[in-house]
Amino acid sequence: MNEPKGMLPTELSTAFPSTSSTEISPTLSTAYAEAASQALGVNPGAIAFSFQLPRSDFQLQVEEQFSASGITALFGPSGCGKSSLLRAIAGLEPQARGYFRLGEEYWHNDAQSLCLKPQQRPLGLVFQQAHLFPHLNVLGNLQYGLKRRGGSAASAKISLDDVIHWLDLAALLKRRTHALSGGEQQRVAMGRALLSQPRLLLLDEPLSGVDLARRQHIMPFLERLHRELDIPMILVTHQLEEVARLADWVLQMDRGQVLARGPVFSMLSRLSGQSSTPYSVLPGRVREWDQNDQLTGVETPAGLAWVPGLQAELGAHLRLLVQARQVSLALQPNPNLSILNQWPARISELKPQQQDQLVGLDVGGQTLWALVSHRAARQLQLREGQDVVAMVKSVSVLSAQE
């Protein structure tokens, strides 16, 4: 536990005037590549914590610091300590020892005998189950978030109208909670949490209790919150798709410890390369639109990606999904093929599989995975460090951010 003790706010009653702070942290950059290079000191724009917490089958022991912006994903198998860590941050684990700091404010610091109660911490918490109030309709549940915050509605940085718009709740306001689907209940729970004006939003597998179709319906709302809000979020998940679509920074956990950490694109290369269906996610920005051929040119680290049927504003930021089986390899570019996306690459890794050869490609500093047959690998005499051309047959848009 190397966190400098620093100076705590002299007036905690001023820092936390009610059950939730009325101040929203200033806008911070979501460029996690920059965050990764920040020195690990007392960073006023960082979330920092160290916790030790005994569990029945492991010991939670973590010490981390990352940027207080965007979405940080806690990723790992069920029972690995993700939710325990989130509960410790929320103040729901009395046995947790260590510290937690958001910016320059400590919510927990054993060195100063400080541990704010959960209701004193300016955070919003959304569980796997929505835990809505059954005696209130949707509007009543949302208004409770404003009441919990205290102060007047006019002074709220996040308004009721904002939340209704972001989460598409206008048609649900008069409905009772028992008449809502699981996905609708989670949207209301998120709205209620946001209306408490949190400085940190904790999401404990909010999509695990809904089926795949509803999960696909809710994901765009989380993406919208990511775009619209300056509030940092910590998301617990064991679904790689959620990491790929939502996260900026990833902590990979197992048995109470953090195994790896990093920006989402480099971490996805690590995580998806361990899966049975590897894929790559590339950052992109819309550069041009070909009206005649109905193709959108997206600038990526690998090169220009042509995506059919995509309509997005010029300059919009995207995440592109490339399945490893959609990537072929060649030794030279070939203009006589129908494959438009041909990117120069260098082999960084070879991982023999039972039926195929998994090839890791360095494309402009990002990892692109390709699956080729063992015969093709022998014919091309593939080796690490070799320059090749990645022939990408299909590119799909995973998420978009204006």
Side-chain angles (χ1 to χ4, degrees):
M1 225 175 30
N2 299 320
E3 167 77 2
K5 294 184 178 65
M7 295 297 293
L8 294 175
T10 56
E11 294 292 334
L12 286 177
S13 60
T14 302
F16 303 97
S18 65
T19 56
S20 180
S21 172
T22 60
E23 293 297 318
I24 299 298
S25 55
T27 302
L28 298 168
S29 169
T30 56
Y32 269 75
E34 295 178 7
S37 64
Q38 290 176 350
L40 292 180
V42 175
N43 187 336
I47 292 170
F49 55 78
S50 175
F51 286 115
Q52 298 82 43
L53 177 65
R55 301 281 80 173
S56 59
D57 53 349
F58 63 84
Q59 170 93 4
L60 180 69
Q61 189 163 352
V62 295
E63 184 169 8
E64 295 293 327
Q65 177 169 298
F66 47 84
S67 178
S69 62
I71 298 179
T72 297
L74 306 181
F75 176 80
S78 297
C80 74
K82 306 184 302 293
S83 293
S84 295
L85 174 54
L86 205 73
R87 289 175 56 83
I89 292 172
L92 297 173
E93 293 288 351
Q95 293 183 328
R97 294 294 174 261
Y99 65 84
F100 177 85
R101 174 174 57 79
L102 175 59
E104 297 178 332
E105 293 182 3
Y106 285 88
W107 299 355
H108 181 163
N109 191 343
D110 285 340
Q112 299 285 341
S113 300
L114 169 71
C115 187
L116 297 180
K117 295 178 181 180
Q119 64 269 25
Q120 293 176 307
R121 304 185 184 204
L123 59 81
L125 180 57
V126 180
F127 294 99
Q128 296 179 26
Q129 302 298 323
H131 297 297
L132 300 177
F133 298 118
H135 64 287
L136 298 176
N137 61 13
V138 169
L139 180 59
N141 272 274
L142 295 174
Q143 289 173 332
Y144 176 84
L146 284 171
K147 292 177 182 177
R148 177 183 179 274
R149 163 197 166 271
S152 66
S155 66
K157 299 292 181 69
I158 300 174
S159 73
L160 181 61
D161 288 342
D162 288 335
V163 167
I164 292 171
H165 170 67
W166 291 336
L167 296 171
D168 195 19
L169 297 174
L172 307 178
L173 295 178
K174 296 182 180 179
R175 288 170 59 177
R176 290 286 180 176
T177 58
H178 64 80
L180 302 176
S181 69
E184 290 168 341
Q185 289 183 20
Q186 285 300 77
R187 283 157 51 198
V188 176
M190 290 177 202
R192 184 178 63 185
L194 289 171
L195 285 167
S196 69
Q197 312 300 310
R199 293 183 55 214
L200 174 64
L201 188 61
L202 305 180
L203 305 170
D204 189 2
E205 300 200 68
L207 305 182
S208 65
V210 298
D211 58 33
L212 180 60
R214 288 190 176 94
R215 190 180 306 151
Q216 296 297 329
H217 181 68
I218 297 174
M219 202 86 75
F221 293 105
L222 287 171
E223 291 171 345
R224 176 181 284 182
L225 294 180
H226 187 188
R227 294 195 302 267
E228 299 284 351
L229 297 176
D230 296 330
I231 301 172
M233 307 182 203
I234 300 178
L235 169 70
V236 167
T237 182
H238 60 269
Q239 298 287 340
L240 262 183
E241 181 193 6
E242 294 177 20
V243 175
R245 290 187 63 167
L246 299 172
D248 299 291
W249 189 262
V250 183
L251 303 180
Q252 182 188 6
M253 296 186 64
D254 195 21
R255 296 192 59 78
Q257 297 187 357
V258 175
L259 302 181
R261 64 194 58 73
V264 63
F265 298 109
S266 62
M267 286 297 294
L268 279 171
S269 299
R270 171 191 173 98
L271 297 171
S272 66
Q274 300 170 355
S275 71
S276 57
T277 56
Y279 59 85
S280 308
V281 178
L282 298 175
R285 184 178 64 86
V286 176
R287 195 178 81 178
E288 58 185 286
W289 164 247
D290 189 323
Q291 179 70 36
N292 293 329
D293 294 331
Q294 296 291 295
L295 291 170
T296 298
V298 180
E299 190 174 13
T300 78
L304 192 63
W306 290 104
V307 183
L310 170 65
Q311 295 186 2
E313 296 289 335
L314 291 179
H317 291 274
L318 311 173
R319 294 185 181 187
L320 300 181
L321 176 70
V322 182
Q323 298 286 350
R325 292 197 178 278
Q326 295 296 319
V327 181
S328 298
L329 298 180
L331 300 181
Q332 298 290 336
N334 189 339
N336 298 317
L337 294 178
S338 61
I339 300 175
L340 297 178
N341 299 314
Q342 301 187 23
W343 301 332
R346 176 167 293 175
I347 297 176
S348 58
E349 187 175 3
L350 293 170
K351 299 175 67 174
Q353 311 288 303
Q354 184 174 1
Q355 297 181 347
D356 302 286
Q357 179 84 35
L358 181 61
V359 183
L361 303 167
D362 184 337
V363 288
Q366 300 286 337
T367 298
L368 179 70
W369 293 107
L371 269 176
V372 300
S373 68
H374 291 297
R375 175 177 292 183
R378 288 195 303 271
Q379 288 178 344
L380 294 174
Q381 298 181 341
L382 298 182
R383 65 190 184 278
E384 291 187 14
Q386 181 180 8
D387 290 330
V388 294
V389 177
M391 305 279 190
V392 182
K393 292 170 280 187
S394 176
V395 177
S396 58
V397 176
L398 192 60
S399 65
Q401 180 175 347
E402 299 298 330

